[in-house]
């Protein structure tokens, strides 16, 4: 049985929030990459990836996240990831994968949409 993979977008102020749900793997990561490229091509450089509904992420998924970070940085934009400590059963799978690979520190990680789209004055972010 194929697991549904979905990327839906909303806007919150200056931020574009892409909610990602399902498995982020070799088959689905190009879908996310294309959606991000479309958002950036439309001139949006402040992006939140809500990964709280992603229950599996392999190396190709991590590769897309790193590529997205590089793309947003090249546009002098800002990228934030939503990776809740709890949820998706016993904690965010993506959070654990990024931590295990030692790349979580590359990302501005927030627990929820509210904190991800809040603008703290003077804060630096990826």
């Amino acid at each position: 049985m194929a697991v549904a993979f979905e990327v839906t977008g909303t806007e919150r102020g200056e931020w574009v929030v892409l909610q990602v749900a399902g498995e982020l793997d070799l088959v689905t990561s190009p879908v996310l990459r294309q959606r991000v490229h479309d958002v950036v091509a439309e001139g949006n450089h402040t992006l939140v990836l809500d990964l709280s509904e992603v229950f599996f992420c392999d190396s190709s998924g991590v590769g897309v996240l790193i590529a997205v970070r590089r793309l947003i940085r090249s546009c002098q934009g800002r990228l934030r990831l939503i990776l809740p400590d709890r949820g998706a059963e016993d904690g965010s799978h993506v959070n654990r994968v990024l931590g295990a690979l030692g790349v979580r520190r590359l990302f501005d990680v927030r627990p929820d949409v509210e904190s991800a789209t809040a603008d703290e004055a003077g804060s630096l972010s990826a």
Side-chain angles (χ1 to χ4, degrees):
M1 178 182 120
V3 175
F5 178 78
E6 193 172 40
V7 181
T8 54
T10 57
E11 290 188 29
R12 288 183 65 120
E14 67 173 319
W15 294 91
V16 173
V17 180
L18 293 181
Q19 287 100 0
V20 185
E23 296 185 7
L24 187 54
D25 59 20
L26 186 63
V27 174
T28 60
S29 52
V31 176
L32 178 58
R33 175 180 281 138
Q34 187 59 54
R35 277 301 297 274
V36 169
H37 279 275
D38 292 346
V39 165
V40 170
E42 290 164 10
N44 300 301
H45 300 149
T46 48
L47 181 65
V48 173
L49 292 181
D50 182 348
L51 305 174
S52 53
E53 298 299 318
V54 173
F55 54 85
F56 177 80
C57 179
D58 70 4
S59 59
S60 56
V62 172
V64 166
L65 296 178
I66 291 172
V68 167
R69 177 181 179 266
R70 192 177 305 126
L71 173 67
I72 295 293
R73 286 176 66 99
S74 74
C75 302
Q76 279 81 49
R78 292 184 291 165
L79 172 67
R80 293 177 178 167
L81 304 183
I82 298 175
L83 295 172
D85 293 328
R86 313 261 6 116
E89 318 247 321
D90 57 350
S92 168
H93 176 80
V94 180
N95 210 358
R96 290 196 308 272
V97 169
L98 295 178
L101 294 172
V103 296
R104 187 181 184 280
R105 61 184 169 69
L106 297 177
F107 297 99
D108 183 353
V109 175
R110 305 296 173 105
D112 54 45
V113 173
E114 286 70 33
S115 61
T117 55
D119 262 326
E120 306 89 12
S123 74
L124 297 172
S125 61

